[in-house]
C-alpha cells in the first residue's frame, strides 16, 4: 500500500442552472472562467471545469439537452447537488481487478485522450467515482490548459470532501481497499484530499473544504450549488 496513491483532482457538482451557479462560484472566490470537456457531450452532459490552484478543479455539469439522463437525477435532488469526484491513479488494471472482486460495478471503462478512465457506480461507492490513469503524479489531463488558475483567487486547493452514506465505516474500508490508500480514521480515506464519510440515508456529496490562499482571512461556511463550502487556511507545513 505504501507504493500506491490516489489524488482527488476534481470535485463535480451538477446543476440545472449552470450559468447562475458558475457566476456564484466565480464571484465568491474570484475564480476564472472555466473550459469545457467536449467528450462529455456524447453522454448528454455540458460542463465547465474551473481551475482551482495548480492541481485541482471544480467542475459544473448540466444537461446538454432535454433527453439528457442528468435531467431526472437533478429533478430528484432539487435542481443542484454534489455529484462526484475525479481521482487520478497510477495504474487502472489493478483497480479494475479489485472492483470486480469487491462487487463494485463499472459504468464506464474506456480511453479518454489516450488514457484509461473508469467510472464506478454511485450505488456501490456512495457517489460517482471517476478514476483517471496518469502515472506521473505531477501531470493530469487539464494541467496545461490556458489560462489556468487565477492569481487573484481566494482559494487554491481542496482539503477535504464530505460524503454521506448509510454505512460510513464500511464505505471508508471499501475505498481504502479499492484504491489501496490509507485510512486516517475509521470513516475517512486519504486521497491527497481527505474524504470523510458521514451518516446519511443515501449516498451524496455534502460538503467541500477549500484551502484559503495565503493572506486570505477566514470565511464563514457558504451554501453553493447545493452543498456546503467550508474554508481553512493553508496548513503550516505547506506554507
Amino acid at each position: 500500500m505504501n507504493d500506491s496513491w490516489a489524488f482527488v483532482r476534481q470535485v463535480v457538482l451538477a446543476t440545472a442552472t449552470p450559468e447562475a451557479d458558475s457566476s456564484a462560484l466565480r464571484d465568491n472566490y474570484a475564480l476564472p472562467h472555466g473550459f469545457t470537456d467536449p467528450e462529455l457531450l456524447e453522454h448528454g452532459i455540458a460542463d465547465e471545469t474551473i481551475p482551482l490552484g495548480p492541481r485541482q478543479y471544480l467542475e459544473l455539469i448540466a444537461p446538454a439537452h432535454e433527453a439528457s439522463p442528468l435531467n431526472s437525477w437533478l429533478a430528484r435532488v432539487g435542481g443542484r447537488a454534489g455529484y462526484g469526484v475525479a481521482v487520478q491513479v497510477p495504474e487502472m488494471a489493478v483497480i479494475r481487478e479489485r472492483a470486480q472482486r469487491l462487487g463494485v460495478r463499472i459504468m464506464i471503462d474506456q480511453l479518454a485522450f489516450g488514457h484509461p478512465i473508469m467510472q464506478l457506480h454511485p450505488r456501490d461507492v456512495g457517489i460517482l467515482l471517476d478514476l483517471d490513469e496518469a502515472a506521473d503524479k505531477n501531470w493530469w489531463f487539464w494541467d496545461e490548459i490556458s489560462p489556468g488558475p487565477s492569481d487573484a483567487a481566494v482559494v487554491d486547493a481542496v482539503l477535504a470532501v464530505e460524503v454521506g452514506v448509510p454505512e460510513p465505516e464500511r464505505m471508508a474500508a471499501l475505498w481504502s481497499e479499492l484504491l489501496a490508500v490509507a485510512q486516517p480514521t475509521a470513516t475517512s480515506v486519504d486521497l491527497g484530499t481527505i474524504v470523510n464519510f458521514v451518516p446519511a440515508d443515501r449516498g451524496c456529496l455534502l460538503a467541500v473544504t477549500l484551502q484559503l490562499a495565503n493572506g486570505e482571512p477566514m470565511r464563514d461556511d457558504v451554501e453553493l450549488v447545493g452543498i456546503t463550502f467550508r474554508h481553512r487556511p493553508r496548513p503550516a507545513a505547506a506554507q
Side-chain angles (χ1 to χ4, degrees), residues 3-185:
D3 295 330
S4 184
W5 55 268
F7 185 74
V8 171
R9 280 291 198 158
Q10 193 161 264
V11 175
V12 186
L13 311 171
T15 175
T17 55
E19 291 184 6
D21 285 323
S22 171
S23 292
L25 285 170
R26 287 186 281 104
D27 291 347
N28 260 274
Y29 297 122
L31 295 171
H33 285 274
F35 51 88
T36 61
D37 178 354
E39 296 199 356
L40 287 179
L41 287 175
E42 65 183 74
H43 301 289
I45 295 173
D47 85 307
E48 180 185 10
T49 297
I50 302 172
L52 182 72
R55 301 189 67 197
Q56 293 177 305
Y57 305 81
L58 297 175
E59 182 183 31
L60 285 177
I61 62 171
H65 46 69
E66 291 184 2
S68 171
L70 193 56
N71 281 306
S72 59
W73 186 85
L74 285 168
R76 290 198 303 273
V77 300
R80 56 172 61 84
Y83 194 74
V85 291
V87 176
Q88 180 183 354
V89 296
E91 184 181 1
M92 195 71 76
V94 293
I95 297 176
R96 185 182 295 109
E97 292 172 1
R98 293 190 203 114
Q100 292 168 348
R101 173 171 54 83
L102 294 167
V104 173
R105 287 169 288 179
I106 298 171
M107 297 170 56
I108 292 175
D109 190 354
Q110 63 185 49
L111 295 179
F113 307 104
H115 294 266
I117 67 166
M118 284 197 314
Q119 288 187 356
L120 305 182
H121 203 296
R123 291 186 181 177
D124 297 335
V125 292
I127 56 174
L128 184 77
L129 179 54
D130 178 280
L131 301 176
D132 302 336
E133 180 183 290
D136 183 352
K137 231 179 183 179
N138 298 311
W139 178 90
W140 195 55
F141 305 141
W142 304 125
D143 287 351
E144 296 172 2
I145 289 284
S146 181
S150 169
D151 291 338
V154 172
V155 290
D156 58 14
V158 179
L159 295 179
V161 297
E162 183 175 285
V163 179
V165 291
E167 300 176 89
E169 289 192 11
R170 184 188 71 81
M171 192 59 68
L174 175 65
W175 280 47
S176 176
E177 184 172 359
L178 179 68
L179 301 175
V181 294
Q183 282 189 254
T185 70

